[in-house]
């Protein structure tokens, strides 16, 4: 008869066996690939000793082609819950040492269970992805059940996908359906079809890194929101992101106390914006100077750099920042910028994060390339997202804003912005001075002896007489004209006055955002 002591010993042995995943040799190979194991990753992500595992002894479905007689406990994915900075998260980590972290039926069930619990308990869902995709031996894929839950969880709990190895084929769509994607240089790979298939089908030659590495997805495709040098930095960065987010859409974002005075005025802002409207400046400097402890956590830093998005805190409360970057395309809106901002605005709105816009935007990027690729329908996404957002929203015009971009950048209160402020040096008008002067004074310019001189004079006149903050204030377009150094106290007071804002909109199943 087996004694209780022996039963406990069996539990210990089996637990250790499960913890070994694919075994010491495959763990060594994983390390040789420059990658950590699933459990090492969880140790870095979660507060020490807080991981509570489920389904540790689940084994893969019997497969006709299994080359290994031994059982792989856990079926290639480690799942459970834990704490990050004391806050609960549900998490799954694919174990590449077990059949390449491939997704079989039980593996998929384990992930789905974690996602269900995340949704039911209002906890963020974090996936650590390192997988050869659908398990070849098991035939039909099971990704559908994960995609379904990604969609279910969308807008209820934050979903974070951290790519720490291959993620290819249809498997890419779970990260793509989540809110934030992290990648690591030289380690993460995401693509629909691999280099080999591409070569066979189109003849195009591309390396795996060029096709689906962290760099390409964080700068060109926009798939990845964050790219880091190593796994450790990546997991740290994910924790920082979580520190800004509420655990679910019914909770307010976490409050972080600060010693940064709420009435801090910032003299450096007075000289940041050049007198010459054509001269660029770095909007990130402005954002940094305004926010608590001068910290700005940028999202999608390398993609569509003409618009800046990210999180920061004002008086301890999380805010979402959307800002034009005058250094890139003079801060014009284009297709990628519109899509990037639209998605961020919707995330902030879904999770009750107030929005602040810093605006310096001459308009939409002109040209056939933008028109042919659909700036109209893509620009509409951003407009839709702003119009839809009911969280407190404040816009500050730092330099210029004209015409349609007044709605596009939510300077206009007609698109639901709560408060709009401008700096005294800002230019704000229905049209840019150059374009406006050409139209209003066309005849006068054409008939003049020196048309160019008259044109210049009219532009100057328009700039001084019409495109001023005072005209905008007289028309009621803006609520306040503030000194640059006052941006921080102004924003803090204004958000304080908007706290608890509720806006009832007509009920509907869902809108039809022009995707
Ligand atoms: C079963 C797999 C596997 C898979 C890898 N392995 N992918 N087992 N199903 N899909 C196993 C290998 O047999 C090997 O087992 C171990 O994982 C490590 O694989 P290696 O090839 O040695 O590693 P590496 O050289 O790093 O290459 C990793 C890889 C490559 C790039 C992921 O293994 C690969 O290309 N795998 C196939 C990818 C694939 O075609 N997947 C199906 C995609 S279709 P041992 O026992 O030696 O350790 C798909 C559809 C989704 O995902 C549909 C959703 C809608």
């Amino acid at each position: 008869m087996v004694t209780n002591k022996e039963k406990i010993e069996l539990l210990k042995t089996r637990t250790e066996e499960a913890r070994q995943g694919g075994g010491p040799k495959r763990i060594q190979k994983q390390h040789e690939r420059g990658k950590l194991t699933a459990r090492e990753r969880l140790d870095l992500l979660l507060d020490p000793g807080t991981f509570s595992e489920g389904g540790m002894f689940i084994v893969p479905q019997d497969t006709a082609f299994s080359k290994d007689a031994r059982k792989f406990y856990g079926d290639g994915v480690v799942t459970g819950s834990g704490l990050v900075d004391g806050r609960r998260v549900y998490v799954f980590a694919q174990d590449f040492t077990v059949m390449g972290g491939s997704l079989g039926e039980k593996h998929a069930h384990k992930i789905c269970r974690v996602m269900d619990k995340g949704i039911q308990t209002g906890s963020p869902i974090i996936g650590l992805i390192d997988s050869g995709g659908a398990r070849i031996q098991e035939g039909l894929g099971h990704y559908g059940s994960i995609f379904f839950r990604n969609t279910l969880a969308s807008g209820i709990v934050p979903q974070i996908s951290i790519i720490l190895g291959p993620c290819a084929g249809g498997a890419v769509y779970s990260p793509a359906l989540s809110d934030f994607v992290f990648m690591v240089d030289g380690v993460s790979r995401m693509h629909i079809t691999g280099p080999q298939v591409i070569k066979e089908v189109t003849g195009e030659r591309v390396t795996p890194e060029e096709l689906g590495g962290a760099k390409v997805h964080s700068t060109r495709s926009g798939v990845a929101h964050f790219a880091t040098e190593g796994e450790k930095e990546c997991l740290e960065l994910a924790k920082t992101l979580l520190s800004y987010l509420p655990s679910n859409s019914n909770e307010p974002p976490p409050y972080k106390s600060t010693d940064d005075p709420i009435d801090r005025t910032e003299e450096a802002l007075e000289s940041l914006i050049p007198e010459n409207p054509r001269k660029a400046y770095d909007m990130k400097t402005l954002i940094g100077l305004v926010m608590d402890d001068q910290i700005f956590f940028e999202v999608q830093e390398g993609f569509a750099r003409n618009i800046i998005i990210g999180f920061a805190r004002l008086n301890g409360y999380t805010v979402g920042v959307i800002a034009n970057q005058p250094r890139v395309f003079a801060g014009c809106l284009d297709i990628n910028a519109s899509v990037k901002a639209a998605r961020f605005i919707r995330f902030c709105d879904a999770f009750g994060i107030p929005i602040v816009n810093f605006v310096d935007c001459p308009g939409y990027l002109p040209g056939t390339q933008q028109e042919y690729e659909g700036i109209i329908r893509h620009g509409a996404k951003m407009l839709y997202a702003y119009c839809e957002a009911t969280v407190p929203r404040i816009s500050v015009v730092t330099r210029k804003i004209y015409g349609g971009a007044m709605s596009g950048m939510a300077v206009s209160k007609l698109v639901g912005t709560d408060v709009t402020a401008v700096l005294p040096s800002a230019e704000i008008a229905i049209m840019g001075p150059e374009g406006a002067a050409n139209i209003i004074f066309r005849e006068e310019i054409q008939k003049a002896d020196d048309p160019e001189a008259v044109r210049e004079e009219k532009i100057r006149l328009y700039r001084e007489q019409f495109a001023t903050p005072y005209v905008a204030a007289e028309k009621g377009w803006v609520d306040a004209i503030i000194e640059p150094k006052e941006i921080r106290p102004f924003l803090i007071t204004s958000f304080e006055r908007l706290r608890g804002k509720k806006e009832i909109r007509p009920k509907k199943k869902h809108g039809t955002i022009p995707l």
Side-chain angles (χ1 to χ4, degrees):
M1 192 173 120
V2 185
T3 65
N4 278 349
K5 197 161 177 254
E6 285 166 334
K7 285 178 185 167
I8 290 170
E9 279 313 308
L10 175 66
L11 173 64
K12 284 183 180 160
T13 317
R14 194 151 291 187
T15 301
E16 191 41 42
E17 213 176 312
R19 290 182 61 79
Q20 287 289 314
K25 273 196 186 142
R26 289 195 181 87
I27 290 177
Q28 193 190 337
K29 212 169 162 197
Q30 176 81 346
H31 288 154
E32 283 164 8
R33 286 187 181 97
K35 302 199 294 183
L36 298 171
T37 65
R39 288 178 190 281
E40 287 166 345
R41 288 164 175 165
L42 287 172
D43 283 347
L44 286 173
L45 178 71
L46 302 172
D47 297 348
T50 63
F51 183 49
S52 165
E53 188 169 349
M56 189 183 213
F57 300 119
I58 284 178
V59 290
Q61 209 181 57
D62 284 335
T63 62
F65 312 104
S66 184
K67 46 184 173 176
D68 240 301
R70 66 169 286 239
K71 282 184 173 159
F72 288 117
Y73 294 115
D75 198 13
V77 63
V78 184
T79 56
S81 59
L83 304 181
V84 172
D85 292 332
R87 297 164 68 212
R88 185 179 57 207
V89 296
Y90 272 82
V91 64
F92 66 90
Q94 290 180 312
D95 184 351
F96 194 78
T97 68
V98 176
M99 290 180 276
S102 57
L103 189 124
E105 189 182 351
K106 303 279 176 51
H107 180 123
H109 283 172
K110 284 182 74 178
I111 292 177
C112 288
R113 189 168 163 75
V114 157
M115 297 180 81
D116 288 341
K117 293 299 150 202
I119 296 168
Q120 289 161 8
T121 62
S123 320
I125 299 169
I126 305 175
L128 309 186
I129 290 156
D130 185 3
S131 167
R135 186 168 301 154
I136 294 160
Q137 298 91 324
E138 285 195 31
L140 281 177
H142 301 277
Y143 279 105
S145 54
I146 298 173
F147 303 156
F148 187 80
R149 281 164 179 78
N150 283 130
T151 307
L152 217 56
S154 177
I156 295 177
V157 292
Q159 299 183 77
I160 295 176
S161 295
I162 306 178
I163 318 298
L164 299 167
C167 175
V172 297
Y173 284 116
S174 175
L177 287 166
S178 60
D179 297 308
F180 297 99
V181 175
F182 287 72
M183 293 182 78
V184 178
D185 244 345
V187 169
S188 321
R189 296 275 157 71
M190 290 182 85
H191 48 70
I192 297 272
T193 40
Q196 192 58 34
V197 176
I198 292 179
K199 196 175 127 225
E200 279 160 23
V201 176
T202 69
E204 191 185 359
R205 283 168 197 275
V206 63
T207 67
E209 192 65 27
E210 283 166 355
L211 180 66
K215 188 146 195 274
V216 78
H217 284 312
S218 60
T219 58
R220 293 190 68 169
S221 72
V223 167
H225 298 80
F226 301 94
T228 64
E229 296 261 306
E231 292 197 27
K232 207 167 167 213
E233 296 89 318
C234 190
L235 295 166
E236 276 306 317
L237 206 65
K239 288 201 244 186
T240 308
L241 170 65
L242 279 169
S243 76
Y244 288 95
L245 310 182
S247 292
N248 59 66
S249 54
N250 288 323
E251 263 184 21
Y255 170 81
K256 186 170 187 275
S257 66
T258 174
D259 293 330
D260 198 348
I262 55 172
D263 57 355
R264 172 168 62 82
T265 51
E266 194 54 70
E267 294 294 334
L269 287 170
E270 303 281 304
S271 54
L272 177 74
I273 299 161
E275 304 272 350
N276 178 352
R278 292 180 180 279
K279 215 168 156 209
Y281 60 97
D282 191 354
M283 187 67 96
K284 288 186 205 173
T285 311
L286 183 145
I287 299 168
L289 288 169
V290 167
M291 298 301 166
D292 284 4
D293 307 305
Q294 312 212 356
I295 296 172
F296 175 50
F297 184 73
E298 192 171 355
V299 176
Q300 280 187 310
E301 188 179 353
F303 175 70
R305 292 183 305 113
N306 42 331
I307 204 145
I308 302 164
I309 58 170
F311 298 105
R313 293 185 184 89
L314 278 171
N315 192 20
Y317 295 100
T318 303
V319 290
V321 177
I322 294 123
N324 306 112
Q325 174 57 287
R327 282 185 154 185
V328 183
F329 299 152
C332 278
L333 291 174
D334 66 353
I335 291 170
N336 285 344
S338 302
V339 174
K340 170 176 163 179
R343 192 160 178 213
F344 185 71
I345 295 161
R346 297 193 94 215
F347 179 86
C348 290
D349 189 47
F351 288 97
I353 297 172
I355 292 172
V356 54
N357 301 302
F358 293 108
V359 182
D360 184 353
C361 179
Y364 291 85
L365 191 67
T368 50
Q369 187 239 351
Q370 286 289 308
E371 297 291 346
Y372 293 168
E373 288 180 20
I375 181 64
I376 296 174
R377 64 191 167 87
H378 293 295
K381 294 173 187 175
M382 188 171 170
L383 202 52
Y384 189 107
Y386 272 132
C387 290
E388 185 186 44
T390 57
V391 287
R393 287 162 46 190
I394 302 176
S395 294
V396 178
V397 181
T398 61
R399 193 159 60 174
K400 56 181 169 308
I401 185 74
Y402 307 123
M406 276 178 64
S407 294
M409 276 309 297
V411 169
S412 167
K413 292 188 290 170
L414 304 177
V415 296
T417 303
D418 295 298
V419 177
T420 295
V422 294
L423 303 187
S425 55
E427 270 181 24
I428 173 168
I430 284 302
M431 217 175 173
E434 286 81 1
N438 278 340
I439 293 170
I440 308 173
F441 305 109
R442 185 169 49 201
E443 237 184 283
E444 235 179 293
I445 294 171
Q446 279 171 353
K447 287 183 180 157
D449 294 338
D450 183 350
E452 208 35 54
V454 173
R455 206 174 80 86
E456 285 305 316
E457 174 58 14
K458 295 298 180 192
I459 290 171
R460 193 187 59 78
L461 256 178
Y462 184 88
R463 182 166 276 135
E464 284 174 12
Q465 289 184 3
F466 297 106
T468 78
Y470 298 98
V471 172
E474 283 168 19
K475 291 183 189 297
W477 291 350
V478 302
D479 298 292
I481 305 172
I482 59 172
E483 292 180 46
K485 67 178 179 191
E486 292 172 341
I487 297 175
R488 174 177 165 83
F490 175 82
L491 286 176
I492 290 175
T493 309
S494 302
F495 275 128
E496 199 49 55
R497 304 287 150 80
L498 289 166
R499 199 168 313 288
K501 177 193 168 194
K502 286 218 166 29
E503 200 186 319
I504 310 297
R505 299 272 181 103
K507 274 203 170 143
K508 53 183 161 184
K509 186 175 176 193
H510 57 67
T512 57
I513 183 167
L515 290 173

